[in-house]
Amino acid sequence: SPYPAHYMTSSNTSPTTPSTNATYQLQEPPSGVTSQAVTDPTAEYSTIHSPSTPIKETDSERLRRGSDGKSRGRGRRNNNPSPPPDSDLERVFIWDLDETIIVFHSLLTGSYANRYGRDPPTSVSLGLRMEEMIFNLADTHLFFNDLEECDQVHIDDVSSDDNGQDLSTYNFGTDGFPAAATSANLCLATGVRGGVDWMRKLAFRYRRVKEIYNTYKNNVGGLLGPAKREAWLQLRAEIEALTDSWLTLALKALSLIHSRTNCVNILVTTTQLIPALAKVLLYGLGIVFPIENIYSATKIGKESCFERIIQRFGRKVVYVVIGDGVEEEQGAKKHAMPFWRVSSHSDLMALHHALELEYL
């Protein structure tokens, strides 16, 4: 195995206590990390901030608005984009999002604050502000009102219904799609599907979402506008301060992987696809996650997402799963993938250290 035992995290790490394994006795990041992420204008869009905790949201809590675990649509499956043509890909790193790369749910519940001795009301307030910003972005720019009941696993899953029509003058507000979706429940998993015209309108929306993501992934402030941009930067700075630069630590590892020509970052999250894209943008992760590398496990579960990823990249590459939850750990075990547990800051620092030394 290319993974020395002393660099693989223990599978029985307690989810409620920080890791104390001597292997992870690394220096805390310098205090300047957080301030630079906030004050350096060249870094404002490329730094991420968030801590990870082992608290996972339940299905009923997963998205406090709308995403209530109902069965979702059966979009016609389309093959994912093929792997890079240079075929020298060696490793695929599959990341969980919430409580691994970012701290989100545990901000809302106050569990992160309780665990690390921070102020719970402040934590909850920050979580609610970020949640509102996520849904505002999803509704305003990413058609979440139209697509909430038409969730997909991957951005290209309905692209086979797209006829390639020029959308530069297309009016999404008057094409009749929302009314048809609401009146006939066409997106629900009842076996009922919309007609060809309706499916094309659905595909148009996902194509526009893809265009917006690719246009603004390095310039989220440009998408939000001046006023919201300032509020967004302030909120990110406050969250990063409360969570002791969790997001910055995760981004160091993500960026190192992204810089390699033979490795790729993949995101598999239990959040619905559209809010997940909003999260990725708002936490500054668009740089390290091309939209084609983001999968939502809301409908099919993480293990099935892992299977799709294996189909996409083949069995010759090495897969490494990074997460804090049982679901991704079990999926990794079933497919014989190494699993790196993240339950504290030291786990992220150890991951970056192992990557630097090229153990991973």
Side-chain angles (χ1 to χ4, degrees):
S1 167
Y3 307 97
H6 60 282
Y7 273 102
M8 299 312 296
T9 55
S10 166
S11 62
N12 60 3
T13 304
S14 168
T16 56
T17 57
S19 170
T20 56
N21 189 320
T23 307
Y24 302 132
Q25 301 276 323
L26 301 176
Q27 284 190 327
E28 290 292 326
S31 59
V33 169
T34 305
S35 60
Q36 183 210 351
V38 178
T39 59
D40 181 356
T42 64
E44 67 183 21
Y45 296 124
S46 59
T47 54
I48 60 179
H49 31 320
S50 173
S52 85
T53 83
I55 308 299
K56 279 303 222 194
E57 50 198 329
T58 63
D59 287 342
S60 61
E61 297 171 324
R62 185 164 287 156
L63 276 173
R64 293 167 69 240
R65 194 197 83 189
S67 181
D68 54 8
K70 287 184 289 187
S71 298
R72 300 299 180 180
R74 299 276 188 247
R76 190 179 311 169
R77 177 165 297 186
N78 186 47
N79 288 333
N80 289 342
S82 56
D86 48 22
S87 72
D88 60 353
L89 190 66
E90 294 180 7
R91 289 178 187 162
V92 174
F93 292 83
I94 303 174
W95 291 79
D96 173 46
L97 180 60
D98 285 18
E99 316 312 320
T100 297
I101 299 174
I102 69 171
V103 177
F104 179 67
H105 182 68
S106 59
L107 281 184
L108 288 167
T109 63
S111 58
Y112 180 90
N114 287 325
R115 180 183 176 194
Y116 289 99
R118 299 307 177 95
D119 181 52
T122 300
S123 168
V124 173
S125 173
L126 292 175
L128 289 171
R129 284 163 60 193
M130 179 54 83
E131 182 184 55
E132 180 181 14
M133 198 168 281
I134 289 166
F135 283 120
N136 279 341
L137 177 61
D139 288 335
T140 305
H141 300 288
L142 304 179
F143 302 103
F144 189 51
N145 284 324
D146 289 357
L147 301 176
E148 184 173 0
E149 299 297 332
C150 311
D151 194 35
Q152 303 297 321
V153 177
H154 187 272
I155 194 68
D156 291 327
D157 279 358
V158 292
S159 61
S160 58
D161 294 297
D162 192 333
N163 63 3
Q165 175 180 329
D166 179 15
L167 299 180
S168 59
T169 59
Y170 186 85
N171 191 329
F172 288 94
T174 60
D175 68 354
F177 176 88
T182 303
S183 62
N185 290 325
L186 292 173
C187 288
L188 299 181
T190 58
V192 179
R193 288 180 57 110
V196 173
D197 181 60
W198 184 87
M199 289 299 297
R200 186 168 64 248
K201 292 172 183 175
L202 177 67
F204 285 170
R205 280 160 172 74
Y206 276 100
R207 176 168 27 127
R208 176 55 61 84
V209 167
K210 189 173 184 177
E211 291 172 354
I212 292 170
Y213 183 96
N214 288 333
T215 300
Y216 291 101
K217 64 182 181 180
N218 295 329
N219 182 21
V220 180
L223 181 63
L224 296 175
K228 288 185 177 180
R229 173 183 173 276
E230 291 306 314
W232 166 63
L233 290 174
Q234 177 64 29
L235 177 58
R236 281 186 41 166
E238 291 180 39
I239 291 176
E240 189 69 343
L242 182 88
T243 58
D244 297 310
S245 304
W246 187 284
L247 184 63
T248 299
L249 292 174
L251 187 57
K252 285 177 69 176
L254 282 159
S255 299
L256 202 161
I257 293 167
H258 185 68
S259 69
R260 296 176 175 176
T261 58
N262 61 345
C263 296
V264 64
N265 289 309
I266 303 289
L267 186 68
V268 177
T269 174
T270 51
T271 303
Q272 280 184 275
L273 184 60
I274 296 301
L277 296 176
K279 276 186 185 179
V280 169
L281 289 172
L282 288 170
Y283 280 96
L285 296 165
I287 296 169
V288 292
F289 286 116
I291 195 168
E292 295 86 0
N293 291 355
I294 298 172
Y295 294 79
S296 168
T298 304
K299 290 200 304 180
I300 65 173
K302 290 195 172 183
E303 187 182 307
S304 295
C305 286
F306 290 0
E307 290 172 0
R308 286 189 59 170
I309 293 165
I310 292 170
Q311 289 174 358
R312 174 179 169 185
F313 293 105
R315 296 188 177 277
K316 292 184 179 180
V317 300
V318 175
Y319 295 90
V320 180
V321 179
I322 303 162
D324 73 299
V326 174
E327 190 179 2
E328 54 261 30
E329 183 176 13
Q330 290 178 341
K333 185 176 181 180
K334 177 172 181 181
H335 295 288
M337 300 173 177
F339 177 72
W340 189 287
R341 179 183 302 282
V342 172
S343 60
S344 66
H345 300 77
S346 59
D347 295 333
L348 289 171
M349 287 188 279
L351 173 61
H352 181 256
H353 193 55
L355 288 165
E356 276 191 320
L357 297 178
E358 298 189 353
Y359 285 113
L360 287 175

